[in-house]
Amino acid sequence: MKAIIVQSYIRIERAMIDFEQKCITHHCEIIMFPDRIKTEQHEFEIKEVFDMSYKPLGGEEGLLYLHTKYGVYSYMVRDHPKAFIQKYKELLNKRP
C-alpha cells in the first residue's frame, strides 16, 4: 500500500564505545498509510491511534505525540509535523 505522508524523526541511543558513553543519533521516519502508522520500532492500525499532538521544545526541535490504545509514544522531530497531523485528522474524518 502506498504511503500517504512521511514525517522524519530522531531517535537517540546511548551506548558504551571504547569505555566512553556516546550518543548515537538515528534519523528515522514515521510513515502513514491509509490503514496504519509505522515507525522504526512500532506499527499501529489507524483505529488504534486516538490522537496526535505536538509540543515545541525551543529552537527547531519538538515532540510529536501519538496517543494510542497502548499508551502515548513520543518522537523528537526537527520539522513541524503540522501537515502530518492534518493528514491524520483527514483520515480520522473518513473513518466509519
Side-chain angles (χ1 to χ4, degrees), residues 26-39:
H26 299 274
H27 297 275
C28 309
E29 295 179 331
I30 304 173
I31 306 168
M32 186 183 304
F33 296 94
D35 61 339
R36 67 190 187 281
I37 295 176
K38 185 176 180 180
T39 68

Side-chain angles (χ1 to χ4, degrees), residues 1-95:
M1 197 172 283
K2 187 176 178 180
I4 295 173
I5 191 167
V6 176
Q7 174 70 46
S8 60
Y9 72 96
I10 299 164
R11 184 174 61 84
I12 299 182
E13 173 186 4
R14 292 188 178 135
M16 290 297 291
I17 301 172
D18 297 328
F19 301 103
E20 288 185 49
Q21 183 172 341
K22 306 269 183 166
C23 289
I24 302 168
T25 302
H26 299 274
H27 297 275
C28 309
E29 295 179 331
I30 304 173
I31 306 168
M32 186 183 304
F33 296 94
D35 61 339
R36 67 190 187 281
I37 295 176
K38 185 176 180 180
T39 68
E40 182 184 42
Q41 298 177 330
H42 301 96
E43 187 168 327
F44 307 101
E45 291 184 30
I46 286 292
K47 65 183 178 184
E48 298 172 336
V49 180
F50 303 132
D51 196 13
M52 286 186 193
S53 58
Y54 173 72
K55 181 178 181 181
L57 294 176
E60 299 176 1
E61 297 174 343
L63 292 173
L64 171 63
Y65 295 99
L66 293 186
H67 304 261
T68 75
K69 79 179 222 179
Y70 306 105
V72 179
Y73 292 82
S74 61
Y75 301 93
M76 184 178 290
V77 296
R78 287 212 171 125
D79 303 323
H80 196 292
K82 183 178 180 180
F84 191 82
I85 294 171
Q86 182 62 38
K87 286 291 183 184
Y88 167 74
K89 290 183 179 183
E90 289 172 14
L91 271 181
L92 198 62
N93 290 334
K94 291 180 184 177
R95 279 198 313 204

